[in-house]
Amino acid sequence: MPLKDFSTRQLVINAKNNFVQANYFLTLSVFDKPDLKIEDKSYPLSLDYNKDFEFSFVVSSPTKIQNTVLNIGKKEFGLGEIYGQKNYTITLNSKQFTKNFIPLKIEFEDENKNTYNYEEKLKIEVNNIPFYIQILNFIKSLFWQELKTFLTL
C-alpha cells in the first residue's frame, strides 16, 4: 500500500481475502539529513610561532550524529555523539598553522551509518615563523604544484 502522507510515521499493511482481514501497523523512522554547524569559534587571530592557544567552538546538529571525529591540523579528536549543541575547548600549538589558516574537517555518521564530511578553513596569522620553516613551506608548495600538474596530465 503506498504511503500517501509523507509526514505519517506509521504505515498500515492490510491483507484480506473472502474470509479474513488482517492489519499490521509498521512504525517508520524518518531521518532528516544531518545539518552539522560549527559556531561561536573563539581563538586568537594573530599569535607568535610555537605558542599554545585555546580553540573553543560549538558543534550543533538538529539530528543525532555519531562517530564524530574532528581533524584539525595534524591532530584528531573524537567528539562522540552529538544531538543539539555541544561546547568544546581544545589546546593547539601555532607551529601547526604556518600557512596562515586552520584546516578543520569533521567526519560523522547519521543514524543509518551514512558518512558525511564538513570542512572549513579559518584564518590565523602566525608571526615570527623561523626562516627554515618558511623555506620548507616554500619548497613544499613548489612540489605540491608540480605534483598537481603531473596528476592532471
Side-chain angles (χ1 to χ4, degrees), residues 32-88:
D32 293 327
K33 183 178 176 183
D35 185 24
L36 179 109
K37 293 181 183 171
I38 299 178
E39 304 169 309
D40 300 331
K41 297 173 276 288
S42 174
Y43 63 97
L45 296 177
S46 178
L47 69 160
D48 285 335
Y49 178 80
N50 202 17
K51 297 291 179 189
D52 288 337
F53 66 96
E54 298 290 315
F55 178 64
S56 301
F57 56 98
V58 175
V59 179
S60 64
S61 175
T63 59
K64 186 169 118 179
I65 60 174
Q66 54 203 13
N67 299 326
T68 310
V69 177
L70 168 67
N71 292 295
I72 183 165
K74 295 179 181 176
K75 290 192 171 190
E76 184 175 286
F77 302 92
L79 304 181
E81 186 177 288
I82 299 171
Y83 180 63
Q85 289 189 339
K86 279 194 175 180
N87 298 323
Y88 296 94

Side-chain angles (χ1 to χ4, degrees), residues 31 37 50 93 100 102 111 113 124 129 131:
F31 299 114
K37 293 181 183 171
N50 202 17
N93 190 291
N100 292 328
I102 300 173
E111 292 182 271
K113 304 287 185 198
I124 188 170
I129 299 172
F131 186 66

